[in-house]
């Protein structure tokens, strides 16, 4: 069973998903790659993991590093999960380029970009911290305006 919970943020509504124990998704409502199938196949409820994720979001949107990660269960191909694990290692207030991540994985930057774009847990798995080779802001499923806001919030711009 998939459980969902909705919360408001300074950047609009957020939908979270859980398997009952861990966070399996967190998306800005309406963002690219938002799982439309959740609407009819998920139970709206409040779980301890949602409480932890809300606490994380409150701290984060106050401009501080939350210092913890709620329990996560990231489902994807081995390559995608390795990219998402790497995203978790990018510190608050810092960025990495697609090329840097690709080099560390021994992969192509385009493949890394595809995996970054399919990150199922936005914000907490910080895909917004990945930038182009010249530091330029590039694609973000939640929109470049949100990416800019998030990086400014962290002091990375």
């Amino acid at each position: 069973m998939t459980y969902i919970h909705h919360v408001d943020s300074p950047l609009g509504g957020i939908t979270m998903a859980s398997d009952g124990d861990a966070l399996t998704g967190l998306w800005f409502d309406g963002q690219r790659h938002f799982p439309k199938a959740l609407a009819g196949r998920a139970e709206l409820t409040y779980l301890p993991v949602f409480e932890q994720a809300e606490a994380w979001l409150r701290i984060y949107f106050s401009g501080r590093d939350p210092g913890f990660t709620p329990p996560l269960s990231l489902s994807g191909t081995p390559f995608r999960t390795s990219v998402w694990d790497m995203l978790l290692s990018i510190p608050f207030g810092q960025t990495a380029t697609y090329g840097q991540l690709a080099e560390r994985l021994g992969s192509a930057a385009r493949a890394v970009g595809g995996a970054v774009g399919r990150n199922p847990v936005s914000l907490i798995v910080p895909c917004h911290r990945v930038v182009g080779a010249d530091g330029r802001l590039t694609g973000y499923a939640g929109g470049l305006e949100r990416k800019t806001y998030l990086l400014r919030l962290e002091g990375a711009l």
Side-chain angles (χ1 to χ4, degrees):
M1 172 58 97
T2 298
Y3 303 94
I4 59 172
H5 177 67
H6 300 285
V7 64
D8 290 323
S9 83
L11 295 175
I14 290 176
T15 297
M16 294 183 252
S18 172
D19 59 10
D21 297 313
L23 205 58
T24 58
L26 188 147
W27 308 269
F28 288 107
D29 293 346
Q31 80 172 47
R32 209 169 358 144
H33 309 303
F34 183 86
K36 294 171 182 68
L38 275 182
R41 300 171 44 181
E43 181 178 320
L44 188 61
T45 193
Y46 196 68
L47 301 168
V49 70
F50 293 145
E51 184 176 349
Q52 292 172 329
E54 279 194 60
W56 191 98
L57 291 168
R58 275 192 304 278
I59 295 166
Y60 180 80
F61 280 116
S62 76
R64 297 177 293 132
D65 181 352
F68 71 96
T69 303
L72 300 174
S73 180
L74 304 175
S75 180
T77 66
F79 177 75
R80 284 184 179 175
T81 57
S82 66
V83 170
W84 301 333
D85 286 342
M86 196 171 290
L87 295 177
L88 286 165
S89 72
I90 304 170
F92 181 92
Q94 296 183 30
T95 60
T97 67
Y98 293 97
Q100 289 169 330
L101 298 178
E103 186 175 315
R104 286 174 39 196
L105 284 167
S107 181
R110 184 177 285 286
V112 169
V116 169
R118 298 285 184 181
N119 169 24
V121 181
S122 294
L123 297 172
I124 295 172
V125 177
C127 53
H128 62 278
R129 294 181 187 149
V130 183
V131 297
D134 58 0
R136 186 173 39 94
L137 299 188
T138 58
Y140 182 61
L144 286 180
E145 307 80 28
R146 286 184 176 129
K147 184 171 187 165
T148 301
Y149 178 96
L150 298 170
L151 292 174
R152 282 199 177 119
L153 178 72
E154 294 185 22
L157 280 185

